Amino acid sequence: MADQFWESTPEGVDEALTYADAAFPVFGNLPGKTRAAFLRAIGRQILDLGDVLIQVTSRETGLPLGRIEGERARTVDQLYQFADLIEKGSWVEATIDTPIPDRKPNPRPSLCRMLVPLGPVAVFGASNFPLAFSVAGGDTASALAGGNPVIVKAHPGHPGCSVLVGEAIVRAAQETGMPEGVFSLLLDEGTSVGKDLVAHPKVQAVGFTGSYKAGMALCQVAAERKVPIPVFAEMGSINPVILLPGALEKRAGQLATQAASSVTLGVGQFCTNPGLILAIHSPALESFIEAFGKVISETAYGTMLSPRIAGAYHKSVQEVLDQTGVKLITRSSKDNLNELNQGQPTVARVNAEDFMGSPKAHQEVFGPFSLLVCCKDFQDLNQVVDSLAGQLTFTLHCEPAEMNGHPDLLQKLREKAGRIIFNGMPTGVEVSPAMHHGGPYPASTDSRFTSVGIHAIKRFVKPICFQNWEDALLPPELQASNPLQIVRRVNGIHTKNPIA
Amino acid sequence: MADQFWESTPEGVDEALTYADAAFPVFGNLPGKTRAAFLRAIGRQILDLGDVLIQVTSRETGLPLGRIEGERARTVDQLYQFADLIEKGSWVEATIDTPIPDRKPNPRPSLCRMLVPLGPVAVFGASNFPLAFSVAGGDTASALAGGNPVIVKAHPGHPGCSVLVGEAIVRAAQETGMPEGVFSLLLDEGTSVGKDLVAHPKVQAVGFTGSYKAGMALCQVAAERKVPIPVFAEMGSINPVILLPGALEKRAGQLATQAASSVTLGVGQFCTNPGLILAIHSPALESFIEAFGKVISETAYGTMLSPRIAGAYHKSVQEVLDQTGVKLITRSSKDNLNELNQGQPTVARVNAEDFMGSPKAHQEVFGPFSLLVCCKDFQDLNQVVDSLAGQLTFTLHCEPAEMNGHPDLLQKLREKAGRIIFNGMPTGVEVSPAMHHGGPYPASTDSRFTSVGIHAIKRFVKPICFQNWEDALLPPELQASNPLQIVRRVNGIHTKNPIA
């Protein structure tokens, strides 16, 4: 299976899809336990790569070794969480309505429903998560778990890492007897292979994490197909953090440290980076600003993912600083003179009116930057919230008592963001069943789906209903004896019992 | 609330949405039991309209009284099923991961997730289901159940029925204390109000049942918005029925009666009408064709929904008959001379090659028409199946023994259709949890969602995650004590127990 690394040509895309399409009927119908073994084998193969993977990835991305080790653990954990899910098997939402032959005026037929895979899924690696959202990342893990062959377009920022992980997946596929074509890796410096991939008629869905511009370009290709397909694009956001007066009054210094740390974590290269801070004028706010600026000025420059990303960061910061009314609070003074691709932590402030008048100030700056919007009063703050687009996260710092006074604000956050955080910071996306990582457009293309956690599998499956089918011809999930011992909804009751 | 019937003007659309948007925070946060009472009251108010509703609807649509009575029962049942669902409350998929403060390297925060409504939903009434898929039909019931205000654009084919049902909804809203603006009805003979509605920035999603052309026009409006929104359009299909040789050998006559009855049921005006029959040449097939033609020729013309629909039906039939190789089997000879808008049952045949060469022959003919494709052999049949677009349903008639010989065929049906029927007919869509009414494009715009049955609510809700939130500020569904006594997934276990 060494030929699984297709050349980045239109023919390579077509060849990968021909294999994937042939693999689909086999792979999609394998028992959950068998696919789970494949996912676990991928995890083990990644761990078996050892230090080489860590070293290569660090060299390619500029991310520190410890961060990559943590990300590797997360990547393997994601694979294992999906393996657990499909091994248990109840995720298919098996629903059975038994026949009522003597019902009047018409008999009720036998009906049963379960989730089945869509077919080959295209996954785009993200620059900022070379392991957890790239070749064997969350999109790949959830698509494979659902029973879909995967074709990954590697991010050009970490080709060595991508090939290492791709080879690990191929070894895992061989080791566990998966059909040829269950996984392919495509490499390309530009965008043409990605567009060919999304346009290919055999691709059934797309998973993407990256910029708004790239995500929307893929959506357009998908919409112009003869048969349109869904693109699940997580396109980032500015993750507003609201500091209510009570919280500022009580803990301005602590908030400043927390906020500065979240803004500069990973050199600001997280999609949940707090790029916007909202607060109301007060002496406590000025104390916050002073302390915030102090920590930022003392936080060292950091190595960004690539020269392109570092260049774009400084250009974007300057664009925001050039907006009417935007004033620099401070910049880091701790330059790492000998390092490449440095991102300089920078924070700025603006009043509500100028912010609302500037679309540029609403845009994500990918890097260690945050803009503080100083509002006159609650009305001003509410208007700023109203002016914001859909977000991955919204954060609220307040004292419990003062929250009760603003029920409308909580409602607005529920409408604007996929995750709302209370007295915390948006960075740090837990991989667990209750996580929702997504949000209203433009944070993602479909607010109903998450790209993190087990519910991410739902992007790549669809229900199918079998009517009046012979028991022996049904998938085991729906057979009367319940051979897989999964939880099913039978005539409205959740049960593992067989059907009499 | 008599002013809920907005004039069909851009201002009327805007007024309806202004009210709906104001109603949303109230309505979306009402307890499930309160919204359930509203849905039940709608059902009762519809029943209380009595015979007037049946008479007016029959006059407007040409549908017989008995059929409308049955559809009324179905409409009320749909409302009650959604009322049951939200009264029980577990549908919100409450998921709670409790905090692990001492986890290394980072503590796990408190995370909980549930489904919440999207906001105002636009619903388009369907011509062929004046009750069950119109003003208080499945789209309205599922959107309201989820907590979304609804704005219905009535189908111009049954304005009197629409106004009667709309008034019933308004009375139910008043009776159960719903906020003003929870429901509005818009009337328009043309398409401009519908387009204005989908384009309105406060609309968050669209439910539609109708033609491919109209559905795609709405999708385009939705995609061109500043913030694109999902359009759940069920756009019909030709619902292929495969008759395998064993089945034809054993019961050609019975199959002919069943097929003819399904083709002409409701004058063929169902989205699950079997517009295509696939079989392999054999003497048994010729017996089927003879018997099928005989029943069709003896089935009386029927009154179609409108002069436009009857005209379009006869034009579409002629277009198919004009295709290369298409031969008329027979037409009904039982004209109802004194009736309006008559649809003449008609069946035709064609060989596989000519069928595959003719895109026109693949298109839905809305009315009592079916095209029989006679294949040379199994290979030919498989190629025809491969040539078909996504379908709402696929039906297979066979003897159990011969099914085992064609596992690939079953796999193809799973990929091509939302519901696959064994030895039955596609007409008759049961409203039950295991139903899936949807299918791959172009049968519907999103194969992951159904428009019939309780799962239809999932179109109009999205997950939201609360991180580190104060218990008292959480929605009751997520509070530690589980005050609503719903089933929740707590640290991976489904339970009604409170959190310690």
Side-chain angles (χ1 to χ4, degrees), chain B residues 3-17:
Chain B
D3 58 352
Q4 296 279 321
F5 299 96
W6 309 106
E7 276 181 29
S8 49
T9 60
E11 294 73 31
V13 172
D14 191 55
E15 202 168 355
L17 263 304

Side-chain angles (χ1 to χ4, degrees), chain B residues 16-49:
Chain B
L17 263 304
T18 302
Y19 276 89
D21 190 54
F24 175 53
V26 180
F27 184 63
N29 286 303
L30 287 177
K33 283 185 204 298
T34 311
R35 285 208 302 269
F38 174 37
L39 293 181
R40 288 190 206 284
I42 296 173
R44 275 195 309 274
Q45 287 287 350
I46 288 173
L47 292 174
D48 285 353
L49 290 169

Side-chain angles (χ1 to χ4, degrees), chain B residues 64-75:
Chain B
L65 300 175
R67 148 74 197 270
I68 297 173
E69 283 168 2
E71 195 180 321
R72 177 178 62 185
R74 174 183 167 145
T75 306

Side-chain angles (χ1 to χ4, degrees), chain A residues 265-288:
Chain A
L265 187 71
V267 202
Q269 300 168 117
F270 289 114
C271 43
T272 53
N273 187 57
L276 195 72
I277 299 172
L278 311 178
I280 295 168
H281 274 302
S282 74
L285 177 60
E286 293 305 319
S287 307
F288 167 84

Side-chain angles (χ1 to χ4, degrees), chain B residues 380-409:
Chain B
D380 219 22
L381 177 69
N382 268 304
Q383 282 176 358
V384 170
V385 172
D386 287 339
S387 79
L388 296 173
Q391 304 289 333
L392 292 171
T393 72
F394 228 117
T395 299
L396 191 65
H397 281 270
C398 66
E399 292 300 292
E402 69 184 332
M403 187 63 241
N404 290 324
H406 306 284
D408 296 356
L409 189 57

Side-chain angles (χ1 to χ4, degrees), chain A residues 32-74:
Chain A
K33 284 183 203 298
T34 312
R35 285 209 301 270
F38 174 38
L39 293 182
R40 288 190 204 285
I42 297 173
R44 276 195 310 273
Q45 288 286 352
I46 289 173
L47 292 174
D48 285 352
L49 291 169
D51 255 13
V52 175
L53 178 65
I54 306 297
Q55 298 288 346
V56 167
T57 308
S58 178
R59 209 155 54 225
E60 290 184 328
T61 61
L63 295 170
L65 300 175
R67 148 73 196 270
I68 296 173
E69 282 168 2
E71 194 180 321
R72 177 178 61 183
R74 174 184 166 142

